[in-house]
């Protein structure tokens, strides 16, 4: 999506406007606010500073979001939803307290992240449900069945193995997002994706250690 | 002369003992918390706390206030708001810095400069439009420093963003403005960094006042090497030993030629046994513990140049840096905490014997002050420092539960310079502002607060206080959505008017929370009386003894004051001799010093 730049934004660039930006030279000082304050935009280092008539219209525009952003958020909801399903299996199938705590933690954090992603999509008028898609690291139906029917140490081993794979998939999704042209300029997407990347890397390290102790 | 010598010996005895005693206790506390799952401490609160049940609203929310006066409020200025606040943070107010009568308020869209000659009537002086987030600000002389991290940031401060993935017009790093002419601030330098600048720390070079350093903490993703040569996004050093993670950048700024500011080092401060990724690897600390981020970045660093030290809050670790050579910070200690999710910021007490770290569990956007949340999670952890060793001594968390509609966790604050006590004013996002005493870090307690109801109970909005700092007699709060607030302290059972008056005596030219300067108090009636008030509060001086002392102080008879100083020194000595290492002995000695100073006409 291209940037939409209404004239209020172009004001900063001197487009034809009753409030055309004025250059530094020849301006009386302290003239841009009714209260004696000034509104300025410094240029690049060494360049001159622009002064504005009025701050009223200097509103930054909504940061653009790209199809890749939308696809990432939709896909990650789908991806997280499977992690919820997987972690909901834990309490009845494991004997390990640390695995139970891990499952609970994954459930709590990913459920609140799903709320964040839905909120982001709804505000931008995007669908919260993507067409059926297979995201990296997601379990096949057969693998989900396998996990469902396991218990005890076998379950722990499968759960940890599959959740590591699942998390690695999420990290791949973040990498792909950041590699998409113009993607993640949106602050929420950028911070969220960075958090997913860091949190899930940390969880993978922990799960590998737990797997070694199984 | 003999009397002076007694004072010095006492001071030596006291400070020596003072440092030893709490550390032993703290070690017990630290080992207890690392050996076993933290038992959920009874998180009890006053059911009548007026912060509970406040009505929502942006400008008309319910308010609760205790032991403060709300002196002023200004909403964000035109041009720095969004029609739809729920857009999320693009015009958030962020950090604060001060110089003379000016307050510099960072924003994701630029900087607003206010005239605070009259703190109860601040007025907007200059708005600088320059987007890039998060707009962390510092000031030194006529130079203002600003952090930019977002990919939309432009070298020319333009608002239209940068369309290309690789562009010479993009700016992510530390900007430097010259504000000597407040009508025409100019950008004089823009130092590009691989991970942008999330926060930065101005560091005075005491040996060379002709320059300052800036320690840059970048936390955003690494930009491509095509845009900035040398940047590497390898997440592990095995992939690329030159990865842009696991480091900070050190920027040198010659004051006479700030346009030549440049990166002079990128120290590997997490290195351990040759591994640059040598500290916390991410994950939890055992069953029931918090999951801490991997230490591949610092979030914020606080320098204390007079001590030659800096405290670093670095994702999964709290660290101590030796900055006696500020161009080359060297790590001397690293601690972990099983209750910390994300080490966020650091504050020294004035003596440098306690280091307070904050944990930004949930990143600041989440409600982490619920009644059901552990009071040791998303809190402050206070460590006692002895040399290069840090040992956990206690926690402090906002003592009133917040709702699920209010993002809340420990955030930025500063010391309030009350002599003889460690007092901090701290922002808790939508949890409001809390002022607390941590003189004894194992028994921190609240002194005053201000809180508003949620911004909204229907929309998910990030707001509340980003920073609240004391500056030359008033408290300034930067509210993300609601704007700027100013408060003054009022006396209470926890803080006397003399103590407030003594704090007001500390006047500084500049204030940058992350470049801590030692607070010093003159010989002054208010300071002497503040110490006496503290002795009464500690139960070692009676009200009538204090009245008699105040009369003596007001009369100012030198020999009477000298005599009283001697008595105080002897009580301190006797108390020490009896094995009482309480803080009140130090207070007695400091009071005696004040009395002798007043006696000699100080």
């Amino acid at each position: 999506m291209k940037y939409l730049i209404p004239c209020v934004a172009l004001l900063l660039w001197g487009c034809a406007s009753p409030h055309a930006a004025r250059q530094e030279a020849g301006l009386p000082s302290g003239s841009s606010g009714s209260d004696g304050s000034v509104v300025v935009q410094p240029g690049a280092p060494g360049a001159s500073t622009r002064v504005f008539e009025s701050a009223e219209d200097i509103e930054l525009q909504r940061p653009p979001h790209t199809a890749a952003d939308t696809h990432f958020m939709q896909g990650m909801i789908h991806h997280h939803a499977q992690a919820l399903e997987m972690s909901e299996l834990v309490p009845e199938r494991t004997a390990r307290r640390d695995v139970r705590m891990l499952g609970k933690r994954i459930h709590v954090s990913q459920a609140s992240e799903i709320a964040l992603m839905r909120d982001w999509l709804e505000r931008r008028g995007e669908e919260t449900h993507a067409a059926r898609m297979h995201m990296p690291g997601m379990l096949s139906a057969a693998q989900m069945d396998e996990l469902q029917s396991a218990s005890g140490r076998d379950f722990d081993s499968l759960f940890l193995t599959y959740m590591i794979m699942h998390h690695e998939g999420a990290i791949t999704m973040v990498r792909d997002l950041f590699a998409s042209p113009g993607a993640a300029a949106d602050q929420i997407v950028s911070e969220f994706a960075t958090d997913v990347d860091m949190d899930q890397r940390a969880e993978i390290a922990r799960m590998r250690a737990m797997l070694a102790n199984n | 002369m003999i009397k002076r010598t007694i004072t010095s010996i006492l001071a030596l005895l006291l400070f020596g003992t003072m440092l030893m005693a709490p550390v032993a206790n703290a070690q017990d506390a630290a080992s207890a918390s690392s050996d076993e799952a933290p038992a959920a401490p009874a998180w009890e609160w006053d059911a009548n706390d007026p912060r509970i049940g406040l009505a929502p609203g942006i400008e008309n929310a319910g308010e609760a206030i205790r032991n403060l006066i709300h002196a002023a409020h200004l909403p964000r200025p035109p041009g720095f708001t969004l029609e739809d606040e729920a857009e999320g943070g693009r015009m958030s107010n962020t950090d604060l810095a001060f110089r003379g009568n000016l307050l510099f308020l960072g924003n994701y869209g630029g900087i607003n400069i206010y005239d605070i000659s009259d703190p109860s009537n601040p007025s907007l002086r200059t708005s600088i439009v320059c987007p890039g987030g998060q707009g962390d600000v510092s000031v030194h002389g006529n130079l203002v420093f600003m952090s930019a991290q977002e990919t939309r940031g432009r070298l020319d401060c333009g608002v239209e963003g940068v369309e290309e993935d690789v562009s010479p017009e993009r700016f992510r790093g530390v900007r430097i403005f010259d504000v000597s002419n407040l009508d025409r601030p100019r950008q004089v330098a823009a130092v590009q960094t691989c991970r942008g600048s999330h926060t930065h720390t101005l560091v005075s070079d005491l040996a060379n006042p002709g320059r300052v350093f800036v320690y840059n903490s970048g936390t955003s993703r690494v930009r491509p090497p095509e845009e900035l040569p040398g940047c590497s996004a390898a997440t592990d050093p095995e992939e690329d030993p030159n990865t842009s993670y696991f480091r900070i950048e050190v920027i040198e700024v010659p004051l006479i030629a700030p346009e030549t500011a440049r990166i002079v080092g990128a120290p590997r401060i997490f290195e351990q046994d040759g591994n640059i990724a040598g500290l916390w690897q991410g994950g939890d600390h055992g069953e029931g513990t918090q999951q801490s981020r991997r230490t591949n970045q610092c979030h914020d660093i606080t320098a204390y140049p007079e001590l030659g030290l800096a405290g670093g809050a670095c994702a999964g670790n709290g660290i101590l840096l030796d900055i006696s050579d500020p161009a080359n910070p060297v790590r001397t200690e690293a601690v972990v905490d099983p209750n910390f999710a994300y080490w966020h910021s650091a504050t020294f007490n004035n003596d440098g014997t306690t280091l307070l770290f904050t944990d930004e569990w949930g990143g600041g956007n989440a409600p982490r002050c619920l009644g059901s949340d552990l009071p040791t999670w998303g809190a402050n952890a206070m460590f006692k420092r002895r040399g290069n060793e840090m040992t956990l001594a206690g926690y402090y968390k906002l003592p009133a539960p917040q709702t699920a509609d209010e993002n809340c966790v420990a955030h930025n604050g500063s010391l309030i310079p009350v002599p003889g006590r460690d007092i901090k004013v701290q922002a808790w996002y939508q949890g409001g502002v809390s002022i607390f005493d941590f003189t004894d870090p194992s028994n921190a307690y609240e002194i005053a607060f201000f809180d508003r109801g949620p911004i909204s109970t229907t929309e998910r909005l990030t707001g509340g206080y980003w920073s609240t700092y004391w500056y030359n007699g008033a408290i300034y709060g930067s509210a993300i959505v609601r704007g700027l607030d100013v408060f003054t302290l009022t006396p209470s059972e926890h803080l006397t008017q003399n103590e407030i008056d003594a704090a007001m005596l500390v006047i500084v030219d500049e204030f940058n929370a992350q470049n801590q300067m030692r607070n010093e108090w003159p010989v002054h009636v208010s300071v002497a009386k503040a110490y006496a008030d503290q002795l009464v509060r500690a139960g070692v001086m009676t009200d009538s003894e204090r009245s008699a002392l105040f009369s003596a102080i007001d009369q100012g008879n030198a020999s009477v004051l000298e005599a009283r100083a001697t008595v105080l020194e002897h009580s301190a000595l006797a108390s020490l001799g009896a094995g009482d290492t309480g803080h009140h002995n130090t207070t007695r000695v400091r009071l005696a010093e004040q009395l002798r100073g007043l006696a000699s006409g100080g």
Side-chain angles (χ1 to χ4, degrees):
Chain A
M1 188 172 120
K2 294 284 174 189
Y3 293 84
L4 298 173
I5 308 175
C7 212
V8 287
L10 284 174
L11 177 154
L12 307 179
W13 301 92
C15 78
S17 154
H19 300 292
R22 299 179 293 175
Q23 290 298 319
E24 182 170 357
L27 280 172
S29 67
S31 62
S32 61
S34 55
D35 55 355
S37 64
V38 293
V39 184
V40 300
Q41 182 177 45
S48 64
T49 296
R50 291 161 191 258
V51 180
F52 301 116
E53 290 268 3
S54 158
E56 296 299 328
D57 296 325
I58 302 174
E59 295 255 334
L60 294 202
Q61 301 308 297
R62 168 187 290 206
H65 69 281
T66 64
D69 292 334
T70 303
H71 182 76
F72 172 79
M73 294 300 243
Q74 290 170 336
M76 196 59 91
I77 288 176
H78 189 52
H79 198 263
H80 273 35
Q82 190 182 59
L84 296 193
E85 278 180 52
M86 292 168 70
S87 52
E88 280 159 12
L89 299 176
V90 173
E92 291 181 359
R93 289 172 178 76
T94 187
R96 280 179 65 164
R97 211 170 121 79
D98 59 347
V99 173
R100 192 155 48 238
M101 302 283 292
L102 172 77
K104 195 177 159 192
R105 171 148 53 219
I106 290 173
H107 198 277
V108 169
S109 68
Q110 301 214 2
S112 73
E113 287 175 358
I114 287 175
L116 179 149
M117 292 185 279
R118 284 218 174 104
D119 185 72
W120 186 91
L121 289 163
E122 279 165 8
R123 285 191 186 289
R124 285 154 185 80
E126 303 282 2
E127 288 290 326
T128 54
H129 288 92
R132 197 96 189 124
M133 56 175 103
H134 188 82
M135 310 305 297
M138 283 186 70
L139 276 61
S140 66
Q143 287 170 318
M144 271 306 281
D145 287 346
E146 186 190 8
L147 188 62
Q148 257 165 359
S149 48
S151 65
R153 280 187 62 182
D154 291 346
F155 172 82
D156 295 338
S157 173
L158 265 185
F159 177 76
L160 292 168
T161 306
Y162 284 160
M163 195 56 93
I164 289 170
M165 176 181 94
H166 199 267
H167 276 32
E168 283 170 341
I171 291 167
T172 303
M173 289 167 70
V174 172
R175 198 189 56 213
D176 292 349
L177 170 76
F178 286 155
S180 307
D186 180 287
Q187 179 195 349
I188 297 172
V189 175
S190 175
E191 288 179 5
F192 170 66
T194 306
D195 284 354
V196 165
D197 185 75
M198 289 204 276
D199 287 343
Q200 302 215 0
R201 279 179 198 279
E203 271 176 4
I204 288 172
R206 178 79 188 136
M207 288 191 285
R208 288 209 175 112
M210 288 165 75
L211 194 55
N213 287 332
N214 197 47
Chain B
M1 277 316 281
I2 289 167
K3 282 166 187 166
R4 301 249 176 223
T5 314
I6 293 175
T7 309
S8 322
I9 292 169
L10 264 170
L12 198 70
L13 273 169
L14 277 166
F15 292 111
T17 324
M18 204 176 64
L19 283 177
M20 297 291 286
V23 166
N25 297 334
Q27 275 164 348
D28 297 342
S31 58
S33 61
S34 58
D35 287 348
E36 45 190 80
W43 161 212
E44 287 176 11
W45 57 85
D46 173 8
N48 296 317
D49 192 301
R51 284 170 282 192
I52 298 169
L54 293 171
I58 292 184
E59 284 292 330
N60 56 356
E63 294 181 350
I65 190 162
R66 183 170 290 168
N67 301 333
L68 288 172
I69 290 170
H70 191 182
H73 170 70
L74 280 181
R76 281 176 296 169
F80 289 84
T81 57
L82 287 173
E83 227 169 88
D84 179 4
E85 292 298 347
E87 255 328 302
R90 304 301 284 200
M91 282 297 191
S92 296
N93 274 338
T94 59
D95 211 5
L96 293 164
F98 303 83
R99 192 206 76 203
N101 292 325
L102 298 176
L103 175 154
F104 300 83
L105 172 49
N107 183 289
Y108 273 73
I111 300 173
N112 284 291
I113 307 174
Y114 293 85
D115 184 324
I116 52 167
S117 307
D118 175 2
S120 61
N121 186 24
S123 62
L124 183 64
R125 178 64 183 82
T126 304
S127 293
I128 298 176
V129 176
C130 193
Q134 47 179 21
D136 196 27
V137 282
S138 298
V139 57
H140 181 64
N142 285 320
L143 300 181
V144 172
F145 304 81
M146 180 192 197
S147 286
Q149 65 179 3
E150 297 174 293
T151 51
R152 67 166 168 155
R154 291 183 58 90
L155 202 54
D156 60 8
C157 292
V159 300
E160 74 276 36
V162 181
E163 207 167 332
E164 297 76 21
D165 287 322
V166 172
S167 167
E169 294 179 335
R170 174 171 288 118
F171 181 74
R172 298 175 65 201
V174 178
R175 301 182 189 274
I176 306 177
F177 300 104
D178 181 331
V179 297
S180 50
N181 179 354
L182 286 169
D183 292 324
R184 302 287 184 280
R186 290 180 304 120
Q187 187 171 199
V188 293
V191 181
Q192 302 266 20
T193 62
C194 288
R195 298 183 76 182
S197 179
H198 189 66
T199 71
H200 68 265
T201 303
L202 181 73
V203 183
S204 301
D205 183 355
L206 299 180
N208 181 357
R211 66 180 182 180
V212 292
F213 289 94
V214 174
Y215 293 171
N216 180 56
S217 298
T219 63
S220 303
R221 70 192 136 115
V222 178
R223 62 211 297 185
E226 296 79 13
E227 187 167 275
L228 188 62
C231 296
S232 160
T235 52
D236 286 289
E238 296 80 43
E239 266 175 74
D240 179 0
N242 295 316
T243 169
S244 303
Y245 294 94
F246 308 103
R247 72 184 199 194
I248 59 170
E249 286 91 17
V250 176
I251 298 166
E252 182 185 355
V253 185
L255 297 179
I256 200 163
E259 64 280 2
T260 62
R262 65 193 175 96
I263 295 174
V264 293
R268 296 296 192 181
I269 55 174
F270 312 135
E271 179 169 345
Q272 187 73 34
D273 303 325
N275 176 10
I276 61 169
L279 297 185
W280 187 250
Q281 296 301 311
D284 61 32
H285 303 256
E287 198 174 292
T289 59
Q290 183 59 279
Q291 182 160 293
S292 309
R293 281 277 176 84
R294 186 182 194 192
T295 304
N296 65 9
Q297 58 182 261
C298 285
H299 177 276
D300 212 339
I301 295 170
T302 295
Y304 198 150
E306 285 149 295
L307 296 179
L309 293 175
C314 305
N317 290 95
I319 67 172
L320 200 59
L321 297 170
D322 178 341
I323 58 162
S324 47
D325 172 7
N328 295 295
V330 177
R331 193 187 86 243
T332 54
E333 165 77 311
V335 291
V336 295
D337 188 291
N339 293 305
F340 264 42
Y342 186 65
W343 293 72
H344 173 276
S345 52
T347 306
F348 290 89
N349 70 343
N350 197 50
D351 293 338
T353 51
T354 300
L355 209 60
L356 180 153
F357 288 98
T358 63
D359 169 25
E360 198 186 38
W361 174 33
N365 298 313
R368 294 291 187 244
C369 302
L370 304 175
S372 55
D373 291 330
L374 284 176
T376 48
W377 286 25
N380 302 325
M382 277 82 72
F383 287 74
K384 293 302 290 184
R385 180 185 73 84
R386 185 173 51 177
N388 289 328
E389 263 178 62
M390 291 195 288
T391 30
L392 181 67
Y395 295 92
Y396 177 81
K397 188 164 183 183
L398 182 73
Q402 302 290 306
T403 67
D405 295 314
E406 293 165 285
N407 58 301
C408 178
V409 75
H411 214 236
N412 297 343
S414 75
L415 299 181
I416 296 180
V418 172
R421 296 174 71 182
D422 297 329
I423 295 178
K424 182 172 180 173
V425 54
Q426 185 176 22
W428 290 80
Y429 287 108
Q430 289 207 60
V433 47
S434 177
I435 295 166
F436 62 98
D437 179 300
F438 65 105
T439 312
D440 172 0
S442 55
N443 286 297
Y445 62 91
E446 189 170 54
I447 294 173
F449 61 75
F450 174 76
D451 186 21
R452 293 186 176 104
I455 292 172
S456 168
T457 52
T458 54
E459 303 209 72
R460 186 197 171 95
L461 292 177
T462 292
Y465 290 110
W466 186 282
S467 302
T468 54
Y469 299 136
W470 171 274
Y471 178 66
N472 291 352
I475 291 163
Y476 297 86
S478 156
I480 291 171
V481 170
R482 289 168 173 135
L484 177 67
D485 288 298
V486 188
F487 303 92
T488 52
L489 288 166
T490 57
S492 66
E493 56 181 313
H494 304 303
L495 190 68
T496 65
Q497 187 62 51
N498 291 320
E499 290 177 301
I500 296 171
D501 291 345
M504 308 275 278
L505 295 171
V506 178
I507 300 295
V508 297
D509 300 333
E510 286 176 2
F511 178 82
N512 297 290
Q514 285 79 36
N515 186 28
Q516 246 182 285
M517 297 294 161
R518 196 193 299 275
N519 292 315
E520 278 165 3
W521 294 267
V523 170
H524 192 280
V525 169
S526 295
V527 179
K529 288 185 175 178
Y531 287 134
D533 288 341
Q534 290 166 16
L535 292 176
V536 172
R537 190 182 293 114
V540 297
M541 181 183 277
T542 65
D543 282 333
S544 57
E545 284 168 343
R546 172 170 56 183
S547 300
L549 179 65
F550 281 8
S551 299
I553 290 172
D554 292 336
Q555 285 160 11
N557 181 307
S559 55
V560 172
L561 293 174
E562 289 276 1
R564 288 193 172 269
T566 306
V567 171
L568 283 161
E569 285 157 0
H570 282 267
S571 333
L573 203 56
S575 175
L576 267 177
D580 179 352
T581 58
H583 184 65
H584 51 84
N585 291 324
T586 313
T587 310
R588 282 177 169 131
V589 173
R590 285 173 172 162
L591 174 53
E593 284 168 358
Q594 281 284 326
L595 296 180
R596 291 196 192 285
L598 290 169
S600 61

